[in-house]
Amino acid sequence: MKNILLCSLICLSLFACKDTKKKNNTEKNTAVAQAEIHQELYGSWVGDFLDVGSEEYEGDYDYIKKLNIIIKKITKDTVIAQSIVSGNNRPLFGKMSDDGSKITFVLDEPGTHKYDGRFEIELVGDTLKGKWNAYKSELKWPEKEYKLIKRQFVYNPNLMLPTEASYVDWNDHKFVEKLDTLEDGKVDTAAMDFYRSASDQIFKLNASAHLLKEQDLKNLRKLDLQILKNTIFARHGYAFKKDTYRQFFDPVEWYIPISSNVDDQLTSIENKNIKLIDRFTKYAEDNYDTFGR
Amino acid sequence: MRYLISYKRLIWLLVFACFFWLMLRITIRYIPAQSDVSFLQIKQTEVTGVKGYLLVFYIHVYSAIFTLLAGFTQFNRHILAKYPKLHRSLGYLYTGTVLVLAAPSGMFIGWFANGGLTAKISFVLLGLLWFWFTLKSILLILKGDVKGHQRFMYRSFALATSAITLRLWKVILVYLFHPAPMDVYQIIAWLGWIPNLLIAEWIIKNKTTQ
């Protein structure tokens, strides 16, 4: 008995030795790669991306864009991050400076895209405030401003589009004028169609949480179907490339654009529903306003 | 040539030919037969859940197009007078297709129609009346009652053309009002054939030989 105890003690001590060795190794590695600092700032910072000088919503104002800056790594010399806005998913590279009282960032997009530019950010309390200036100053809105709050993206299949007035109002007075130009039967092109055409079924049917039946979709128009399908993608944080969908989802409180491809994240319920919705969408495209069936 | 056909008739015939062409194209979409093509894209509940639905659906699609052919020849007085044999054999083709294939299959798929009970009732009733008018008409001519035969064939064919008018109404209503798909479906289910029947009654009253 004593022997066994002794043996096990020796074994344990041996393992303990190994563990300490490992720890030493990893510490050495990070030291070489530079110490990461301010890790509490890592993650998504989300807020509205506003045109400077267009506070009044008129003219070519269309909708408030949502900006997500994902801070991935901060060291003394470099900051690695990512910006997602308007479906553009751009890597950011820059510096942080901390003079003891103020933390500021200067982060640059690569410059290979038309809308690339520089973010200059300051941490004020729990908010990142700052400006963005396009490299190409001839852009219509070369300067933007934003206030970003740190938010963690969490997939939740039960999230639904808000039915509240603000959401509808936002569409309402902006696109009323376009009503007339669209009487040619095209239903899916402009945002005002959301207000005009989307039925209240889009607030009732959840294509992430429940397996849909054909009966659920029979009376839906193409726009309803597209919204149902894209609400799935919005729940997964898909960064919409199409303006139509950004207009629907950017103003939604829970929506955080986080990825340009969420196909791997879709659940089996969602995949089945997408197939069903696609069939109905194709049928609507082929038949809704034509002589056929 | 003047005796053969009037301009008015020619225009009607051309219009009808256009719509026949459109219907033919819709039919061709279903060749080769598949279980998930065109209309069947939104009918998978029935395709997978109702025994025989797919078979009966295809019987309807492939047979009904032939009944429209009657519109080219059977109401032409010239053909009727000069080629009675042609009229008879084409008539039997129409009658046989309606009674054996198109009308019974129409009632069956009508029972599973989109648009709820209102639409179902309409389509089943349409099938029943189509069957009855056609049968009645053929029984009347076998007894030698030409006028009766004419009357009921006008009615029968008016219902056959509901395939065209139903789709035409849909285009018009969607263009004007952008209704939800099943809302429009419930309307055209009835609008597709009742006005047709009223027009047939008007023709019977005013145009048939006394």
Side-chain angles (χ1 to χ4, degrees):
Chain A
M1 194 63 196
K2 262 190 181 175
N3 277 341
I4 295 170
L5 248 169
L6 204 72
C7 257
S8 53
L9 266 173
I10 290 166
C11 279
L12 270 171
S13 55
L14 271 172
F15 275 117
C17 275
K18 265 188 186 171
D19 275 351
T20 46
K21 265 183 197 169
K22 260 186 194 167
K23 265 182 196 164
N24 286 340
N25 277 340
T26 47
E27 265 164 30
K28 261 181 209 165
N29 283 339
T30 47
V32 170
Q34 255 195 5
E36 294 187 41
I37 50 173
H38 285 291
Q39 297 193 19
E40 77 279 3
L41 300 177
Y42 287 14
S44 282
W45 293 80
V46 184
D48 295 338
F49 199 45
L50 303 163
D51 306 324
V52 171
S54 71
E55 308 256 306
E56 282 172 37
Y57 303 145
E58 41 147 358
D60 55 0
Y61 162 79
D62 46 2
Y63 62 96
I64 297 172
K65 296 181 170 73
K66 188 168 270 180
L67 168 67
N68 178 11
I69 290 183
I70 306 165
I71 297 177
K72 295 177 168 173
K73 193 174 181 185
I74 305 174
T75 63
K76 200 159 71 68
D77 297 334
T78 57
V79 175
I80 294 171
Q82 190 182 357
S83 68
I84 302 177
V85 65
S86 301
N88 295 320
N89 192 338
R90 306 298 290 159
L92 295 175
F93 200 71
K95 278 196 157 200
M96 188 195 83
S97 48
D98 183 357
D99 67 357
S101 62
K102 207 163 84 172
I103 291 177
T104 55
F105 293 90
V106 176
L107 300 173
D108 289 320
E109 289 168 327
T112 49
H113 187 277
K114 187 185 169 193
Y115 293 109
D116 277 354
R118 165 174 282 191
F119 289 92
E120 289 167 288
I121 315 171
E122 187 187 336
L123 179 66
V124 183
D126 59 353
T127 309
L128 287 183
K129 283 184 187 174
K131 293 206 165 177
W132 172 88
N133 284 284
Y135 299 137
K136 292 185 179 175
S137 52
E138 66 269 24
L139 289 181
K140 197 159 198 176
W141 302 108
E143 194 178 0
K144 310 262 195 185
E145 58 189 11
Y146 46 84
K147 288 175 191 165
L148 310 177
I149 300 288
K150 191 156 187 286
R151 286 176 59 187
Q152 202 191 346
F153 172 80
V154 182
Y155 167 69
N156 178 354
N158 297 315
L159 293 170
M160 295 296 281
L161 278 177
T163 54
E164 300 316 315
S166 60
Y167 190 54
V168 177
D169 278 350
W170 156 79
N171 263 321
D172 187 17
H173 40 261
K174 286 191 321 80
F175 288 92
V176 161
E177 273 188 3
K178 284 195 175 176
L179 253 166
D180 299 329
T181 61
L182 269 152
E183 284 302 308
D184 57 355
K186 295 212 167 175
V187 198
D188 64 329
T189 42
M192 64 91 210
D193 278 359
F194 177 77
Y195 183 65
R196 185 173 61 128
S197 298
S199 71
D200 58 359
Q201 289 299 307
I202 62 163
F203 307 122
K204 292 173 184 164
L205 295 172
N206 182 330
S208 292
H210 310 289
L211 210 52
L212 298 177
K213 296 189 289 290
E214 283 189 327
Q215 198 56 43
D216 299 326
L217 304 182
K218 284 254 164 89
N219 207 22
L220 301 188
R221 269 160 293 200
K222 190 181 162 187
L223 189 67
D224 297 333
L225 296 167
Q226 288 173 321
I227 290 173
L228 275 188
K229 176 177 166 177
N230 284 288
T231 309
I232 295 177
F233 290 110
R235 291 185 189 104
H236 285 283
Y238 178 69
F240 292 99
K241 291 181 181 67
K242 280 190 184 167
D243 213 32
T244 318
Y245 301 129
R246 286 208 304 276
Q247 291 175 36
F248 296 142
F249 295 108
D250 267 8
V252 176
E253 201 275 325
W254 52 256
Y255 171 64
I256 300 177
I258 195 121
S259 168
S260 296
N261 188 345
V262 298
D263 291 350
D264 297 341
Q265 315 291 317
L266 302 176
T267 65
S268 73
I269 288 181
E270 288 169 335
N271 273 318
K272 280 177 193 159
N273 283 335
I274 286 170
K275 265 188 196 161
L276 181 71
I277 293 169
D278 282 347
R279 278 211 322 263
F280 273 72
T281 310
K282 170 135 196 326
Y283 180 75
E285 280 168 0
D286 293 350
N287 295 282
Y288 175 62
D289 55 358
T290 60
F291 187 89
R293 187 153 52 93
Chain B
M1 212 48 196
R2 203 146 47 98
Y3 301 111
L4 199 76
I5 196 160
S6 71
Y7 284 117
K8 214 169 142 191
R9 272 191 161 266
L10 188 68
I11 287 166
W12 267 112
L13 215 55
L14 281 174
V15 171
F16 184 73
C18 284
F19 283 112
F20 180 79
W21 170 242
L22 288 174
M23 291 306 298
L24 192 64
R25 276 179 42 190
I26 295 171
T27 307
I28 285 167
R29 282 198 214 165
Y30 294 96
I31 299 173
Q34 284 166 288
S35 65
D36 58 352
V37 71
S38 199
F39 181 62
L40 296 173
Q41 285 176 109
I42 64 164
K43 274 289 179 195
Q44 291 302 302
T45 310
E46 285 79 6
V47 167
T48 54
V50 179
K51 253 192 173 176
Y53 182 87
L54 199 61
L55 176 72
V56 177
F57 178 84
Y58 271 102
I59 288 174
H60 189 73
V61 170
Y62 291 153
S63 65
I65 187 74
F66 288 101
T67 66
L68 287 177
L69 281 172
F72 290 109
T73 57
Q74 300 305 83
F75 299 92
N76 185 314
R77 252 165 254 160
H78 179 77
I79 292 176
L80 241 144
K82 273 211 155 177
Y83 310 99
K85 268 191 179 169
L86 183 69
H87 179 83
R88 203 170 299 147
S89 41
L90 289 175
Y92 277 123
L93 176 72
Y94 174 81
T95 310
T97 311
V98 173
L99 296 184
V100 179
L101 302 170
S105 62
M107 281 183 271
F108 182 86
I109 59 172
W111 183 246
F112 298 101
N114 293 331
L117 195 63
T118 14
K120 284 171 201 244
I121 291 170
S122 164
F123 287 123
V124 172
L125 193 60
L126 169 63
L128 268 172
L129 289 174
W130 197 24
F131 186 90
W132 179 53
F133 291 156
T134 312
L135 181 67
K136 181 91 179 160
S137 174
I138 213 74
L139 291 176
L140 285 170
I141 197 65
L142 288 174
K143 276 190 232 161
D145 182 352
V146 175
K147 276 181 206 160
H149 169 70
Q150 262 185 349
R151 278 204 303 275
F152 276 94
M153 270 308 174
Y154 273 116
R155 288 167 188 147
S156 167
F157 193 69
L159 296 187
T161 55
S162 71
I164 294 168
T165 46
L166 170 140
R167 289 169 175 83
L168 198 58
W169 279 117
K170 187 190 78 175
V171 175
I172 293 166
L173 292 178
V174 166
Y175 179 81
L176 292 177
F177 306 113
H178 296 272
M182 287 308 122
D183 297 350
V184 75
Y185 206 72
Q186 288 179 340
I187 298 168
I188 60 171
W190 294 94
L191 205 54
W193 60 272
I194 288 181
N196 295 15
L197 209 51
L198 294 176
I199 291 168
E201 293 303 328
W202 182 84
I203 291 173
I204 289 164
K205 235 185 172 178
N206 296 283
K207 297 276 170 131
T208 47
T209 44
Q210 298 307 313

